[in-house]
Amino acid sequence: MATAAQWIEGARPRTLPTAVSPVLVGTGAALGAGVVTPGRAVLALVVAVSLVIAVNFANDYSDGIRGTDDERVGPLRLVGSKAAAPAQVKRAAFIGFGVAAVAGLTLVAISGQWWLLGVGAVCILGAWFYTGGSKPYGYAGLGEVAVFVFFGPVAVLGTVVTQSGAPSPLAIVATVGVGLLTCAVLVANNLRDIPTDARTGKRTLAVALGDADTRKLYAGLILVPLVLSIGAGTRSWPMLLGLLAAPLAVPPVRRVLQGADGRKLIKVLQETGVVLLVWSVATAVGLALGRVV
């Protein structure tokens, strides 16, 4: 039976910046529009964090029963390591989806944005079928597309809409940055797993592109949000705060371009999450301050 520490590791807490970041940026945009709704922000955060934990357990379950995680370099996988039974991990995933659904329904009811119920349902289905089902799209090289859409425009704009209504042009630009940096987290993960994924038939985008081009893709995904910060800064100078993440981006990009592999990429994955979080915090502040400049 898995210990509490193993369950926590299986939830992959280091991926939580991908949940927190879009909510921070969306809330910053709402503050910039002059709206302060901390209760709604907290509900949006509960939705995002629950979904990320749920998808981590769902991936653990689906990859584990396929044997994809039998030879894993990265963090502990509960099913692949046989620390927990598949049914237990599947149940944990559905509990996470349930918490997200309840928090999301509450947020929709409070905000009156009932059309978001459909968006929420698509998010849960997308989370499950990333690696679940008979034809998971994560095994067909579409993971990055889904991550960009769900963690960028959907998560950020969903947060904005439920707090302050229609997003500003700068908020829309920020969704692109969040989506791309979240994709960088996934690309770093999949770069590390190219050898094992290729052997088990998991054709991620990294497997399809190959090692060299995946490294270039990673660097581009990190660079573009910084360029967006400069462009947005020409409209509202506080958006330049996003450049505070630039020094933190140098070490992981250098490691990737210099050929880091295996366990060395675990550190890159962690550093990429920090870049995402810092860029998002700084951009959220920039959006909030945009109201007063």
Side-chain angles (χ1 to χ4, degrees):
M1 231 180 127
T3 64
Q6 287 175 318
W7 277 106
I8 292 172
E9 187 177 356
R12 302 184 68 185
R14 290 191 181 95
T15 64
L16 291 184
T18 64
V20 174
S21 295
V23 177
L24 288 173
V25 172
T27 300
L31 290 172
V35 178
V36 181
T37 53
R40 298 185 189 188
V42 170
L43 283 170
L45 184 62
V46 171
V47 172
V49 170
S50 299
L51 277 177
V52 167
I53 292 174
V55 77
N56 286 339
F57 282 133
N59 292 343
D60 190 311
Y61 165 77
S62 296
D63 284 341
I65 62 174
R66 285 189 173 89
T68 309
D69 288 338
D70 287 352
E71 299 177 21
R72 185 170 178 81
V73 176
L76 172 77
R77 286 297 184 99
L78 294 164
V79 176
S81 67
K82 297 180 172 54
Q88 292 177 315
V89 178
K90 184 178 181 181
R91 187 180 306 115
F94 277 83
I95 290 172
F97 289 137
V99 172
V102 171
L105 180 59
T106 304
L107 180 58
V108 166
I110 292 172
S111 66
Q113 301 288 346
W114 292 101
W115 61 276
L116 285 174
L117 288 179
V119 176
V122 171
C123 289
I124 291 175
L125 291 173
W128 177 255
F129 288 106
Y130 173 60
T131 56
S134 59
K135 293 183 179 180
Y137 64 85
Y139 281 56
L142 296 175
E144 283 75 8
V145 174
V147 163
F148 174 81
V149 171
F150 289 128
F151 288 88
V154 170
V156 176
L157 297 182
T159 302
V160 175
V161 168
T162 55
Q163 293 188 54
S164 62
S168 68
L170 289 179
I172 294 173
V173 170
T175 70
V176 177
V178 174
L180 292 177
L181 286 171
T182 308
C183 281
V185 174
L186 178 61
V187 168
N189 181 78
N190 289 346
L191 174 63
R192 181 198 65 213
D193 292 341
I194 285 177
T196 54
D197 285 345
R199 283 198 300 270
T200 56
K202 185 176 182 179
R203 191 171 174 77
T204 62
L205 181 61
V207 171
L209 289 176
D211 186 272
D213 285 341
T214 299
R215 293 177 188 277
K216 295 174 185 175
L217 173 63
Y218 173 84
L221 291 171
I222 295 289
L223 176 62
V224 172
L226 298 175
V227 174
L228 290 176
S229 293
I230 296 173
T234 64
R235 292 281 305 274
S236 175
W237 70 260
M239 294 297 289
L240 292 172
L241 290 171
L243 294 177
L244 291 172
L248 299 172
V250 173
V253 170
R254 181 185 293 134
R255 286 191 183 89
V256 168
L257 293 181
Q258 290 179 347
D261 58 5
R263 293 194 174 276
K264 294 177 182 178
L265 285 170
I266 297 176
K267 184 172 182 61
V268 169
L269 185 62
Q270 296 167 353
E271 292 173 329
T272 308
V274 173
V275 173
L276 166 63
L277 187 58
V278 171
W279 186 90
S280 298
V281 169
T283 299
V285 173
L287 288 165
L289 291 177
R291 179 171 176 244
V292 297
V293 299

